Amino acid sequence: MSTTEQRVAVVTGAARGIGAATAVRLAEEGRAVAVLDLDEAACADTVAKVERAGGRALAVGCDVSDAAQVDSAVARVAAELGPPLILVNNAGVLRDNLLFKMSEDDWDTVLNVHLRGAFLMSRACQKHMVDAGFGRIVNLSSSSALGNRGQANYSAAKAGMQGLTKTLAKELGKFGITANSVAPGFIATDMTAATAARVGMGFEEFKAAAASQIPVQRVGEPDDIANAVAFFTGEQAGFVSGQVLYVAGGPLN
Ligand code: NAP
Protein backbone atom coordinates (compact mmCIF):
# COMPACT_ATOMS: atom_id res chain seq x y z
CA MET A 1 0.00 0.00 0.00
CA SER A 2 1.35 3.47 -0.84
CA THR A 3 1.47 6.36 1.65
CA THR A 4 -1.42 7.88 -0.23
CA GLU A 5 -3.60 4.80 0.19
CA GLN A 6 -2.97 4.70 3.91
CA ARG A 7 -4.24 8.18 4.69
CA VAL A 8 -6.87 8.28 7.42
CA ALA A 9 -10.12 10.19 7.01
CA VAL A 10 -12.57 11.16 9.75
CA VAL A 11 -16.17 11.69 8.72
CA THR A 12 -18.51 13.13 11.36
CA GLY A 13 -22.20 12.25 11.41
CA ALA A 14 -21.29 9.16 9.38
CA ALA A 15 -23.81 6.68 10.82
CA ARG A 16 -26.24 7.53 8.03
CA GLY A 17 -27.15 9.85 5.18
CA ILE A 18 -24.50 11.94 3.46
CA GLY A 19 -21.84 11.08 6.03
CA ALA A 20 -22.28 7.33 5.53
CA ALA A 21 -22.11 7.67 1.73
CA THR A 22 -19.00 9.85 2.07
CA ALA A 23 -17.27 7.35 4.36
CA VAL A 24 -17.81 4.56 1.82
CA ARG A 25 -16.75 6.77 -1.10
CA LEU A 26 -13.50 7.71 0.67
CA ALA A 27 -12.82 4.02 1.36
CA GLU A 28 -13.24 3.40 -2.38
CA GLU A 29 -10.54 6.06 -2.86
CA GLY A 30 -8.22 3.96 -0.69
CA ARG A 31 -8.65 5.77 2.61
CA ALA A 32 -8.97 4.28 6.07
CA VAL A 33 -12.06 5.85 7.64
CA ALA A 34 -13.03 6.77 11.19
CA VAL A 35 -16.82 6.65 11.24
CA LEU A 36 -17.78 9.15 13.93
CA ASP A 37 -21.29 9.76 15.24
CA LEU A 38 -23.15 10.42 18.49
CA ASP A 39 -23.85 6.73 19.07
CA GLU A 40 -20.92 4.38 18.43
CA ALA A 41 -23.21 1.37 17.95
CA ALA A 42 -25.10 3.20 15.19
CA CYS A 43 -21.85 3.36 13.17
CA ALA A 44 -21.69 -0.44 12.70
CA ASP A 45 -23.51 -0.49 9.36
CA THR A 46 -21.23 2.18 7.84
CA VAL A 47 -18.14 0.45 9.25
CA ALA A 48 -19.19 -2.79 7.53
CA LYS A 49 -19.72 -0.95 4.22
CA VAL A 50 -16.31 0.78 4.48
CA GLU A 51 -14.66 -2.59 5.11
CA ARG A 52 -16.52 -4.12 2.15
CA ALA A 53 -15.15 -1.24 0.04
CA GLY A 54 -11.64 -2.24 1.10
CA GLY A 55 -10.94 0.32 3.81
CA ARG A 56 -9.88 -0.12 7.39
CA ALA A 57 -12.57 1.41 9.61
CA LEU A 58 -13.14 2.46 13.20
CA ALA A 59 -16.46 3.37 14.84
CA VAL A 60 -16.12 6.31 17.20
CA GLY A 61 -18.89 7.64 19.46
CA CYS A 62 -18.55 11.39 19.95
CA ASP A 63 -20.65 14.52 20.34
CA VAL A 64 -18.81 16.97 18.08
CA SER A 65 -20.04 19.95 20.11
CA ASP A 66 -18.19 18.72 23.24
CA ALA A 67 -14.52 19.73 23.31
CA ALA A 68 -13.38 16.96 25.68
CA GLN A 69 -15.15 14.27 23.63
CA VAL A 70 -13.69 15.65 20.40
CA ASP A 71 -10.14 15.69 21.75
CA SER A 72 -10.36 12.13 23.05
CA ALA A 73 -12.06 10.88 19.85
CA VAL A 74 -9.34 12.36 17.65
CA ALA A 75 -6.63 10.95 19.94
CA ARG A 76 -8.28 7.52 19.66
CA VAL A 77 -8.41 7.72 15.87
CA ALA A 78 -4.71 8.66 15.76
CA ALA A 79 -3.78 5.79 18.07
CA GLU A 80 -5.97 3.06 16.55
CA LEU A 81 -6.18 3.99 12.86
CA GLY A 82 -3.43 6.54 12.26
CA PRO A 83 -3.13 10.34 12.16
CA PRO A 84 -6.31 11.88 10.73
CA LEU A 85 -5.23 13.86 7.65
CA ILE A 86 -8.65 14.16 6.01
CA LEU A 87 -11.58 15.64 7.92
CA VAL A 88 -15.16 15.91 6.72
CA ASN A 89 -17.28 18.04 9.06
CA ASN A 90 -20.71 16.66 8.19
CA ALA A 91 -22.56 16.10 11.51
CA GLY A 92 -25.75 18.07 11.60
CA VAL A 93 -29.17 18.62 13.12
CA LEU A 94 -32.23 20.71 12.31
CA ARG A 95 -34.36 22.71 14.74
CA ASP A 96 -36.46 24.63 12.22
CA ASN A 97 -38.86 27.30 13.37
CA LEU A 98 -39.92 30.79 12.40
CA LEU A 99 -37.92 33.40 14.28
CA PHE A 100 -40.75 34.40 16.62
CA LYS A 101 -41.12 30.77 17.73
CA MET A 102 -37.43 29.85 17.77
CA SER A 103 -36.11 29.09 21.25
CA GLU A 104 -32.61 29.83 22.48
CA ASP A 105 -32.14 26.07 22.71
CA ASP A 106 -33.09 25.69 19.01
CA TRP A 107 -30.48 28.33 18.16
CA ASP A 108 -27.72 27.00 20.42
CA THR A 109 -28.17 23.34 19.45
CA VAL A 110 -27.84 24.02 15.73
CA LEU A 111 -24.93 26.46 16.05
CA ASN A 112 -23.16 24.11 18.47
CA VAL A 113 -23.38 20.95 16.36
CA HIS A 114 -22.57 22.47 12.97
CA LEU A 115 -20.26 25.38 13.66
CA ARG A 116 -18.71 24.73 17.07
CA GLY A 117 -18.41 21.05 16.07
CA ALA A 118 -16.51 21.93 12.88
CA PHE A 119 -14.26 24.31 14.83
CA LEU A 120 -13.47 21.74 17.53
CA MET A 121 -12.86 18.89 15.07
CA SER A 122 -10.68 21.07 12.82
CA ARG A 123 -8.65 22.31 15.77
CA ALA A 124 -8.09 18.78 17.05
CA CYS A 125 -7.14 17.32 13.64
CA GLN A 126 -4.94 20.16 12.35
CA LYS A 127 -2.03 19.17 14.64
CA HIS A 128 -1.75 15.86 12.80
CA MET A 129 -2.09 17.52 9.40
CA VAL A 130 0.58 20.13 10.18
CA ASP A 131 2.96 17.39 11.36
CA ALA A 132 2.37 15.48 8.11
CA GLY A 133 2.56 18.56 5.87
CA PHE A 134 -0.69 17.39 4.30
CA GLY A 135 -4.35 17.85 5.10
CA ARG A 136 -7.80 18.07 3.56
CA ILE A 137 -10.75 19.63 5.39
CA VAL A 138 -14.24 19.66 3.89
CA ASN A 139 -17.06 21.45 5.67
CA LEU A 140 -20.69 20.72 4.82
CA SER A 141 -22.55 23.96 4.21
CA SER A 142 -25.96 24.16 2.52
CA SER A 143 -27.97 26.11 -0.02
CA SER A 144 -29.70 27.42 3.13
CA ALA A 145 -26.56 29.50 3.77
CA LEU A 146 -28.13 31.94 1.30
CA GLY A 147 -31.12 32.33 3.64
CA ASN A 148 -34.15 30.11 4.15
CA ARG A 149 -37.47 30.77 5.83
CA GLY A 150 -37.76 28.93 9.15
CA GLN A 151 -34.03 28.31 9.39
CA ALA A 152 -32.47 31.39 11.05
CA ASN A 153 -30.29 29.09 13.15
CA TYR A 154 -29.36 26.65 10.36
CA SER A 155 -28.71 29.29 7.67
CA ALA A 156 -26.50 31.24 10.10
CA ALA A 157 -24.56 28.07 10.93
CA LYS A 158 -24.19 27.08 7.28
CA ALA A 159 -23.06 30.59 6.25
CA GLY A 160 -20.64 30.39 9.17
CA MET A 161 -19.24 27.15 7.77
CA GLN A 162 -18.26 29.05 4.63
CA GLY A 163 -16.42 31.77 6.60
CA LEU A 164 -14.70 29.12 8.71
CA THR A 165 -13.66 27.28 5.54
CA LYS A 166 -12.08 30.35 3.94
CA THR A 167 -10.24 31.25 7.14
CA LEU A 168 -8.89 27.71 7.58
CA ALA A 169 -7.73 27.81 3.95
CA LYS A 170 -5.80 31.04 4.62
CA GLU A 171 -4.30 29.95 7.95
CA LEU A 172 -3.38 26.39 7.08
CA GLY A 173 -2.41 26.57 3.41
CA LYS A 174 1.29 26.93 4.17
CA PHE A 175 1.22 23.52 5.87
CA GLY A 176 -0.09 21.73 2.78
CA ILE A 177 -3.65 21.77 4.12
CA THR A 178 -6.64 22.74 2.00
CA ALA A 179 -10.12 23.61 3.28
CA ASN A 180 -13.19 23.65 1.09
CA SER A 181 -16.93 23.59 1.53
CA VAL A 182 -19.64 21.56 -0.19
CA ALA A 183 -23.07 23.17 -0.06
CA PRO A 184 -25.80 20.66 -0.92
CA GLY A 185 -29.24 21.52 -2.16
CA PHE A 186 -32.06 19.03 -1.50
CA ILE A 187 -30.63 15.58 -0.74
CA ALA A 188 -32.87 12.59 0.06
CA THR A 189 -31.89 11.54 3.60
CA ASP A 190 -33.52 11.09 7.00
CA MET A 191 -33.02 14.84 7.50
CA THR A 192 -35.24 15.81 4.56
CA ALA A 193 -37.66 12.96 5.40
CA ALA A 194 -38.06 14.51 8.85
CA THR A 195 -38.75 17.91 7.28
CA ALA A 196 -41.43 16.34 5.08
CA ALA A 197 -43.05 14.79 8.16
CA ARG A 198 -42.86 18.12 10.03
CA VAL A 199 -44.74 19.96 7.27
CA GLY A 200 -47.28 17.11 6.97
CA MET A 201 -46.29 15.78 3.53
CA GLY A 202 -45.40 12.25 2.41
CA PHE A 203 -41.71 11.99 1.54
CA GLU A 204 -42.36 10.97 -2.09
CA GLU A 205 -44.70 13.93 -2.61
CA PHE A 206 -42.20 16.24 -0.87
CA LYS A 207 -39.33 15.03 -3.08
CA ALA A 208 -41.44 15.40 -6.25
CA ALA A 209 -42.31 18.97 -5.31
CA ALA A 210 -38.64 19.75 -4.67
CA ALA A 211 -37.52 18.07 -7.91
CA SER A 212 -39.91 20.20 -9.97
CA GLN A 213 -37.99 23.31 -8.82
CA ILE A 214 -34.52 21.87 -9.57
CA PRO A 215 -33.07 22.36 -13.08
CA VAL A 216 -32.00 18.69 -13.44
CA GLN A 217 -35.51 17.70 -12.31
CA ARG A 218 -34.50 15.32 -9.55
CA VAL A 219 -33.50 15.59 -5.92
CA GLY A 220 -29.94 14.76 -4.91
CA GLU A 221 -28.74 11.49 -3.43
CA PRO A 222 -26.04 11.17 -0.74
CA ASP A 223 -23.60 9.89 -3.39
CA ASP A 224 -23.92 13.19 -5.27
CA ILE A 225 -22.36 14.91 -2.25
CA ALA A 226 -19.87 12.12 -1.53
CA ASN A 227 -18.48 12.52 -5.05
CA ALA A 228 -17.86 16.24 -4.53
CA VAL A 229 -16.20 15.58 -1.15
CA ALA A 230 -14.01 12.92 -2.78
CA PHE A 231 -12.75 15.50 -5.29
CA PHE A 232 -11.78 18.03 -2.60
CA THR A 233 -10.05 15.37 -0.48
CA GLY A 234 -8.09 13.96 -3.42
CA GLU A 235 -4.33 14.13 -3.73
CA GLN A 236 -4.71 16.09 -6.98
CA ALA A 237 -6.83 18.87 -5.43
CA GLY A 238 -3.97 20.56 -3.56
CA PHE A 239 -4.31 23.87 -5.41
CA VAL A 240 -8.08 24.10 -4.79
CA SER A 241 -8.71 25.77 -1.45
CA GLY A 242 -11.17 28.13 0.23
CA GLN A 243 -13.89 27.27 -2.28
CA VAL A 244 -17.60 26.70 -1.82
CA LEU A 245 -19.16 24.24 -4.26
CA TYR A 246 -22.95 24.26 -4.46
CA VAL A 247 -24.15 20.77 -5.39
CA ALA A 248 -27.79 21.41 -6.00
CA GLY A 249 -28.76 20.24 -9.49
CA GLY A 250 -28.52 23.75 -10.84
CA PRO A 251 -27.53 27.31 -9.95
CA LEU A 252 -29.10 29.04 -6.96
CA ASN A 253 -30.37 32.60 -7.00
P1 NAP B 1 -28.79 13.04 8.71
O1 NAP B 1 -29.25 11.92 7.83
O2 NAP B 1 -29.72 13.60 9.71
O3 NAP B 1 -27.42 12.60 9.41
C1 NAP B 1 -26.76 13.45 10.30
C2 NAP B 1 -25.92 12.63 11.22
O4 NAP B 1 -25.23 13.53 12.14
C3 NAP B 1 -26.74 11.67 12.09
O5 NAP B 1 -26.18 10.38 12.09
C4 NAP B 1 -26.68 12.32 13.47
O6 NAP B 1 -26.75 11.42 14.55
C5 NAP B 1 -25.31 12.96 13.42
N1 NAP B 1 -25.15 13.95 14.49
C6 NAP B 1 -26.07 14.84 14.94
N2 NAP B 1 -25.59 15.56 15.96
C7 NAP B 1 -24.33 15.11 16.18
C8 NAP B 1 -23.32 15.44 17.12
N3 NAP B 1 -23.51 16.41 18.04
N4 NAP B 1 -22.14 14.78 17.07
C9 NAP B 1 -21.94 13.80 16.15
N5 NAP B 1 -22.85 13.44 15.24
C10 NAP B 1 -24.05 14.08 15.25
O7 NAP B 1 -28.33 14.30 7.82
P2 NAP B 1 -27.84 14.42 6.29
O8 NAP B 1 -29.01 14.83 5.49
O9 NAP B 1 -27.03 13.25 5.92
O10 NAP B 1 -26.92 15.73 6.42
C11 NAP B 1 -25.51 15.67 6.57
C12 NAP B 1 -24.95 17.09 6.49
O11 NAP B 1 -25.32 17.68 5.25
C13 NAP B 1 -25.49 18.01 7.58
O12 NAP B 1 -24.48 18.90 8.00
C14 NAP B 1 -26.58 18.76 6.87
O13 NAP B 1 -26.84 20.01 7.47
C15 NAP B 1 -25.98 18.90 5.49
N6 NAP B 1 -26.96 19.14 4.44
C16 NAP B 1 -27.95 18.23 4.18
C17 NAP B 1 -28.89 18.51 3.16
C18 NAP B 1 -30.01 17.56 2.81
O14 NAP B 1 -30.84 17.92 1.98
N7 NAP B 1 -30.08 16.38 3.39
C19 NAP B 1 -28.81 19.72 2.47
C20 NAP B 1 -27.81 20.61 2.77
C21 NAP B 1 -26.88 20.32 3.75
P3 NAP B 1 -28.18 11.06 15.21
O15 NAP B 1 -28.88 10.24 14.20
O16 NAP B 1 -27.81 10.29 16.45
O17 NAP B 1 -28.86 12.37 15.49
Side-chain angles (χ1 to χ4, degrees):
M1 216 193 286
S2 73
T3 310
T4 298
E5 287 169 331
Q6 293 169 345
R7 293 197 199 284
V8 173
V10 182
V11 183
T12 71
R16 55 199 174 95
I18 292 168
T22 299
V24 175
R25 184 74 175 78
L26 295 186
E28 289 167 356
E29 298 284 311
R31 314 307 195 175
V33 185
V35 176
L36 188 150
D37 211 293
L38 272 177
D39 174 16
E40 185 167 323
C43 298
D45 186 48
T46 307
V47 163
K49 288 179 179 156
V50 166
E51 288 173 346
R52 274 203 298 280
R56 290 182 297 128
L58 178 70
V60 183
C62 172
D63 177 349
V64 296
S65 66
D66 182 303
Q69 288 189 40
V70 164
D71 287 346
S72 70
V74 170
R76 190 178 152 214
V77 171
E80 295 184 31
L81 212 52
L85 303 185
I86 297 165
L87 169 64
V88 183
N89 285 310
N90 166 83
V93 290
L94 293 181
R95 295 287 185 275
D96 293 356
N97 234 327
L98 293 174
L99 181 63
F100 78 103
K101 290 191 279 191
M102 186 171 285
S103 70
E104 286 142 277
D105 190 55
D106 291 336
W107 177 270
D108 290 342
T109 298
V110 169
L111 270 289
N112 282 343
V113 175
H114 293 269
L115 201 46
R116 179 179 160 85
F119 153 64
L120 292 173
M121 286 296 304
S122 301
R123 190 179 64 176
C125 289
Q126 58 80 30
K127 299 187 268 291
H128 299 286
M129 298 178 186
V130 169
D131 286 349
F134 176 93
R136 298 280 185 266
I137 299 171
V138 180
N139 294 320
L140 269 289
S141 178
S142 167
S143 54
S144 295
L146 301 169
N148 198 25
R149 185 178 159 80
Q151 292 194 315
N153 49 3
Y154 186 76
S155 61
K158 291 310 202 183
M161 294 294 262
Q162 298 188 11
L164 174 67
T165 299
K166 291 175 191 199
T167 300
L168 296 181
K170 289 187 177 186
E171 284 190 20
L172 300 174
K174 65 183 170 195
F175 304 109
I177 301 167
T178 66
N180 291 286
S181 185
V182 175
F186 188 116
I187 310 298
T189 68
D190 292 348
M191 184 177 272
T192 38
T195 301
R198 192 176 60 80
V199 299
M201 284 173 81
F203 195 32
E204 292 309 314
E205 182 194 359
F206 192 61
K207 284 191 288 186
S212 71
Q213 304 299 311
I214 297 171
V216 302
Q217 295 286 289
R218 69 168 176 89
V219 299
E221 297 296 331
D223 280 342
D224 290 311
I225 305 307
N227 288 333
V229 175
F231 167 71
F232 282 130
T233 60
E235 305 295 312
Q236 302 86 346
F239 204 55
V240 182
S241 195
Q243 301 305 301
V244 178
L245 179 63
Y246 284 88
V247 181
L252 300 161
N253 295 326

